Amino acid sequence: MLDLNLLRLVVILAKEKNVTRAALKANITQSAFSHALNRIREQLNDEVFVRTRNGMEPTPYAASIIPVIASSLDRLEAVTRGAHAFDPLRDAHTFYIGAVDYFEFMFMPVLTARFKQLAPNVRLSVDILSETIKLERIEMGQLDAFIGVDTLQHVPHYYNKHPLISDHFVAIASKDRTDLPSVLTIRNLVTEPQIHLPAVSSGADHIDRWLSAQHLYRPLATVVQSYAVGGRVAVTSGYLMCVPYRIARELADMLPLRILELPAGLPSYELNLLTHSLFDHQPALRWLINELKNAHIE
């Protein structure tokens, strides 16, 4: 089994593509680095890196394991950092987050710009997967946090919930749909074909639940996996799409779309950050929680 120091050298060489630079980065001599590389090749029974015109390139096998090694070393560093203070200006760290599309669409541009100035070595890796898998992956330490929609999913008591943002629903439609009123009626909702972006993997949805309580249903013409795609489909198809207002406003700035009000009584869209009690005491994660809670979303 390779020791951690050898694994670290694999990641460094993958980035530097040059043994001399990699040795300097690792703070060892070039001879020691080359010797370590030979040990890696022997233990893995693979060339691992091959010299090319573009520098040292990983073999297909090495390329397949380097992301796993890098991620594992990041997480090991995080869990062994203990209670040491986290300095966002100096420390390098990757946070792994499971999230719904709303977070990626609205928060990522703001957070990326902010981190560029305040935390230049901090990265956010956002994963869009089913909620059940996300929650399980947090408990296993594979994700730092999950950002999801309140009221549509069960959250075990050992997760901590941090409210992030509240929004209200509107509809978007192509500007060509001049036949639609600026305030839709329930009849519009139950007769107009619509584009659907599932809020959670189970298919549960605020609007569908609200209509179902009144024994009503809306016709869903197509299902998409992102708001951006849904907006484009709305333009080309003439279908309605119900989305949170902030999303609608951004899409209407980019595409020829109308924003239409929905009937009164619909529940709000509540976005929450979920972290696990086992991990959210860590200084780096506490910093991230604070940054997410204080992100200024117009």
Side-chain angles (χ1 to χ4, degrees):
M1 180 177 180
L2 289 175
D3 65 40
L4 293 179
N5 287 327
L6 292 181
L7 292 175
R8 186 171 66 90
L9 298 184
V10 171
V11 176
I12 292 174
L13 185 54
K15 292 180 179 178
E16 298 297 329
K17 297 184 180 299
N18 178 279
V19 172
T20 301
R21 292 198 302 269
L24 288 172
K25 189 80 171 181
N27 199 29
I28 60 176
T29 65
Q30 182 174 339
S31 175
F33 196 105
S34 297
H35 179 70
L37 183 57
N38 286 333
R39 286 178 58 198
I40 295 169
R41 286 167 169 157
E42 290 175 5
Q43 293 188 37
L44 293 180
N45 194 29
D46 186 87
E47 277 298 296
V48 186
F49 286 93
V50 177
R51 192 179 306 279
T52 72
R53 61 187 298 177
N54 296 320
M56 298 295 285
E57 292 287 345
T59 64
Y61 171 69
S64 71
I65 65 172
I66 286 170
V68 178
I69 294 173
S71 175
S72 299
L73 290 175
D74 280 347
R75 301 207 65 80
L76 184 60
E77 179 188 357
V79 299
T80 57
R81 190 180 289 124
H84 297 295
F86 176 71
D87 183 355
L89 279 173
R90 297 171 60 101
D91 293 348
H93 195 89
T94 299
F95 293 103
Y96 297 90
I97 299 175
V100 292
D101 193 54
Y102 188 106
F103 173 80
E104 191 172 43
F105 198 98
M106 294 302 305
F107 279 74
M108 284 298 287
V110 173
L111 292 171
T112 301
R114 179 170 171 79
F115 286 9
K116 180 181 179 181
Q117 299 298 322
L118 300 181
N121 299 314
V122 171
R123 296 184 300 169
L124 287 178
S125 176
V126 179
D127 192 5
I128 307 293
L129 288 174
S130 75
E131 280 66 28
T132 301
I133 294 174
K134 286 171 183 170
L135 291 176
E136 290 174 351
R137 290 176 68 192
I138 294 173
E139 190 163 9
M140 294 187 311
Q142 296 173 347
L143 290 176
D144 293 298
F146 166 55
I147 297 165
V149 185
D150 201 13
T151 74
L152 295 183
Q153 65 204 82
H154 171 69
V155 179
H157 65 87
Y158 40 82
Y159 286 87
N160 292 320
K161 182 187 296 186
H162 312 272
L164 288 184
I165 199 168
S166 179
D167 209 336
H168 68 280
F169 284 97
V170 295
I172 54 174
S174 170
K175 284 188 174 180
D176 292 338
R177 291 296 311 271
T178 55
D179 58 308
L180 292 171
S182 58
V183 180
L184 298 179
T185 64
I186 291 182
R187 178 173 175 76
N188 293 132
L189 276 184
V190 300
T191 58
E192 285 287 339
Q194 292 172 51
I195 303 157
H196 181 49
L197 172 62
V200 294
S201 60
S202 65
D205 180 87
H206 297 85
I207 295 172
D208 289 330
R209 281 191 175 183
W210 182 73
L211 288 172
S212 179
Q214 304 172 67
H215 307 289
L216 298 171
Y217 305 91
R218 56 180 176 150
L220 300 179
T222 189
V223 176
V224 297
Q225 297 301 314
S226 74
Y227 289 119
V229 171
R232 294 185 64 189
V233 173
V235 171
T236 59
S237 67
Y239 294 155
L240 291 179
M241 184 175 183
C242 295
V243 300
Y245 170 70
R246 289 182 178 88
I247 298 291
R249 185 181 58 194
E250 294 291 324
L251 291 174
D253 284 342
M254 296 185 288
L255 298 166
L257 292 166
R258 298 177 61 194
I259 298 178
L260 311 171
E261 295 297 324
L262 293 175
L266 276 166
S268 60
Y269 184 98
E270 305 291 337
L271 197 68
N272 289 294
L273 166 65
L274 300 176
T275 58
H276 200 288
S277 301
L278 279 173
F279 307 110
D280 65 5
H281 65 282
Q282 297 172 345
L285 187 53
R286 296 305 307 171
W287 175 84
L288 176 65
I289 292 170
N290 187 64
E291 287 295 314
L292 294 177
K293 291 169 66 175
N294 292 300
H296 185 62
I297 307 298
E298 295 288 345

